[in-house]
Amino acid sequence: MRTLPKDFIMGGATAAYQAEGATKLDGKGLVAWDTWLEEKGRYTAEPASDFYHQYPVDLKLCRKFKIDSLRMSIAWSRIFPNGYGEVNQAGVDYYHRVFAECKKQGVIPFVTIHHFDTPKTLFDNGDFLNRENVEHFVNYAKFCFEEFKEVHYWSTFNEIYPVATNQYLTGIFPPEIKFDLKKVVTCLHNMMWAHARAVNIFKEGNYSGEIGVVHSLEPKYPYSQAKEDIHAAAKDDALSIAFLLDATYKGRYSDKTMALVNEILAANDTQVEFAESDFIAMEKAATQTDFLGINNYQSHWVQHYDKESAIGFNGTGEKGTSFYRIKGIGERIQRDDIPKNDWDWAIYPEGLYDLLVRIKADYPNYGKIYITENGLGFKDNFNDGVIMDEPRIEYLRGNFNSISKAIDAGVDVKGYFIWSLMDVFSWANGYNKRYGLFYVDFETQKRYPKESAYWYKFVSENKVII
């Protein structure tokens, strides 16, 4: 059996909008999701897991099950209802109470400043396509650094790539724009610029603690060894991985990355230019970022594709209903020999190992890494308070073994946060896609530990992967 370092952090991950509920309580401002979900009429994030009121229960469970750390986010519109201007003191006080309870229970908060929830006032004004909103984000981040001195670990953003692609490529998030590669690349760049500016403010202000960014990174492999498939995988990788890591650790985009990204843009009859002055802040931040958070759930196999873009999103867990074909990039193919969950996500822990050793080789100034999200979305079977989720344990075991092997290969991985601590609202998937160590009865808000919670506790206590 493989092991983990004795000081390896074992955490649980959440996000404000997915867990808190209380979407309109105590002065919280609207986010785009509030009105969009109501218009869709399927479900809302109210009350989600009711973390707004249940946080003492969840943090006690952390202590009981040896979960060292809680990854959580601050809801921007709970602090600034309109994204800027007047502060909502009730929101500020709420997070102070959460951090006080963290301290009481011996749980370390890892806090994300932005997790898919731009205030609606700013979202409706272009979100991160509008560079004025970068200024509002930076000011909000500085407020958090000044106000929440209890926090030692900060992440600027959660998953910049899915923000850009779900909003402007696949259209599964509001504002439901599809296949606009110019908007995708513009959003990616502006958010990386915003990240850099927040990092620099944190460092120049000599705030206590550490700061990083959380990227969704899913390895891309060619479906075959045909030249066209190898090139398609390289393009998919350039947009979804290299573009982000170049910005994070080089402060600008390599010639190789930009050649591939420009090829994608040209195939879609567009182009993007960046202000050279942006790279001043980005290059400065590249040497000051303390850690990289990696969200990793799956890997992809890509083949050549030269037709118009087409997307099939599996949001219901009906296996075999997803497809992904992007003009200028390629088509992601489901391999029959790779197991998948009900949402067609490939279960391939070897991909996490490959990703970790690649980062060490390609970006030697990465500092240190936390796996900030990883887990299995599953239709859990609730049987009289007992939830036997062996497939989740098997998924975790494979990924922990990959992390252990990467550590042996010299990658500095400091901790792991399972997605998710408890079952939460899952964006476009609603509530039937459960990830938590703790089953939530969304009617009563009662928590029930799953079999995986006991497995996770053993690994945390013993640092042995069973």
Side-chain angles (χ1 to χ4, degrees), residues 384-428:
D384 231 2
V386 176
I387 306 95
M388 304 299 288
D389 57 341
E390 180 60 38
R392 181 170 288 112
I393 294 171
E394 185 62 29
Y395 178 95
L396 295 174
R397 185 181 293 121
N399 281 278
F400 271 102
N401 281 327
S402 287
I403 293 165
S404 176
K405 290 174 187 173
I407 291 170
D408 286 351
V411 185
D412 192 9
V413 186
K414 291 293 191 184
Y416 176 100
F417 295 79
I418 186 171
W419 186 267
S420 51
L421 176 65
M422 66 290 200
D423 292 334
V424 297
F425 169 72
S426 192
W427 303 114

Side-chain angles (χ1 to χ4, degrees), residues 269-289:
D269 301 316
T270 191
Q271 60 184 5
V272 177
E273 293 184 3
F274 309 121
E276 185 62 27
S277 58
D278 292 356
F279 298 116
I280 297 171
M282 290 168 65
E283 287 180 335
K284 189 173 183 181
T287 64
Q288 301 191 99
T289 300

Side-chain angles (χ1 to χ4, degrees), residues 3-12 66-69 108 110 153 352 356 368-372 374 396 399-408 411-418 455-465:
T3 61
L4 297 164
K6 293 301 179 189
D7 62 350
F8 190 85
I9 288 176
M10 296 281 285
K66 189 60 173 65
I67 296 165
D68 308 316
S69 181
I108 304 165
F110 273 62
Y153 297 99
L352 180 56
L356 291 169
K368 55 188 171 184
I369 290 171
Y370 294 94
I371 306 302
T372 38
N374 178 255
L396 295 174
N399 281 278
F400 271 102
N401 281 327
S402 287
I403 293 165
S404 176
K405 290 174 187 173
I407 291 170
D408 286 351
V411 185
D412 192 9
V413 186
K414 291 293 191 184
Y416 176 100
F417 295 79
I418 186 171
W455 182 91
Y456 202 77
K457 181 175 187 281
F458 180 91
V459 175
S460 182
E461 289 175 340
N462 299 281
K463 300 300 189 288
V464 175
I465 304 163

Side-chain angles (χ1 to χ4, degrees), residues 166-203:
N166 289 342
Q167 291 182 184
Y168 308 119
L169 182 66
T170 66
I172 63 171
F173 283 9
E176 295 185 281
I177 293 170
K178 284 189 173 183
F179 314 136
D180 191 328
L181 273 298
K182 185 182 183 75
K183 284 185 170 65
V184 169
V185 174
T186 301
C187 180
L188 291 175
H189 173 76
N190 285 351
M191 290 182 76
M192 285 309 309
W193 178 52
H195 152 77
R197 291 183 58 193
V199 167
N200 294 337
I201 284 171
F202 185 83
K203 293 300 181 179

Side-chain angles (χ1 to χ4, degrees), residues 10 51 54-70 96-109 421:
M10 296 281 285
F51 185 76
Q54 301 289 335
Y55 68 87
V57 174
D58 292 319
L59 287 164
K60 283 174 186 170
L61 284 171
C62 286
R63 184 172 186 171
K64 181 178 179 181
F65 282 83
K66 189 60 173 65
I67 296 165
D68 308 316
S69 181
L70 173 70
H96 280 303
R97 292 196 300 273
V98 173
F99 298 141
E101 188 67 23
C102 284
K103 186 175 182 181
K104 178 181 174 183
Q105 299 299 338
V107 176
I108 304 165
L421 176 65

Side-chain angles (χ1 to χ4, degrees), residues 157-313:
F157 286 105
N158 175 77
E159 296 191 345
I160 291 170
Y161 180 75
V163 170
T165 54
N166 289 342
Q167 291 182 184
Y168 308 119
L169 182 66
T170 66
I172 63 171
F173 283 9
E176 295 185 281
I177 293 170
K178 284 189 173 183
F179 314 136
D180 191 328
L181 273 298
K182 185 182 183 75
K183 284 185 170 65
V184 169
V185 174
T186 301
C187 180
L188 291 175
H189 173 76
N190 285 351
M191 290 182 76
M192 285 309 309
W193 178 52
H195 152 77
R197 291 183 58 193
V199 167
N200 294 337
I201 284 171
F202 185 83
K203 293 300 181 179
E204 288 160 9
N206 291 313
Y207 298 104
S208 175
E210 300 181 15
I211 191 165
V213 63
V214 171
H215 287 314
S216 171
L217 303 175
E218 297 178 341
K220 311 299 187 296
Y221 302 97
Y223 182 64
S224 77
Q225 288 308 301
K227 255 196 239 182
E228 295 89 349
D229 290 359
I230 292 170
H231 189 60
K235 287 186 289 183
D236 204 342
D237 178 280
L239 186 65
S240 64
I241 298 180
F243 192 86
L244 297 164
L245 293 180
D246 282 2
T248 306
Y249 291 111
K250 296 179 179 179
R252 60 175 60 241
Y253 313 110
S254 71
D255 291 343
K256 177 183 175 184
T257 298
M258 279 314 304
L260 291 165
V261 170
N262 283 332
E263 184 181 340
I264 295 167
L265 291 168
N268 287 273
D269 301 316
T270 191
Q271 60 184 5
V272 177
E273 293 184 3
F274 309 121
E276 185 62 27
S277 58
D278 292 356
F279 298 116
I280 297 171
M282 290 168 65
E283 287 180 335
K284 189 173 183 181
T287 64
Q288 301 191 99
T289 300
D290 294 304
F291 64 85
L292 171 65
I294 295 176
N295 293 359
N296 173 271
Y297 293 92
Q298 60 173 329
S299 299
H300 301 281
W301 286 264
V302 188
Q303 74 174 12
H304 175 69
Y305 179 78
D306 60 4
K307 299 181 179 66
E308 294 301 311
S309 295
I311 289 287
F313 173 65

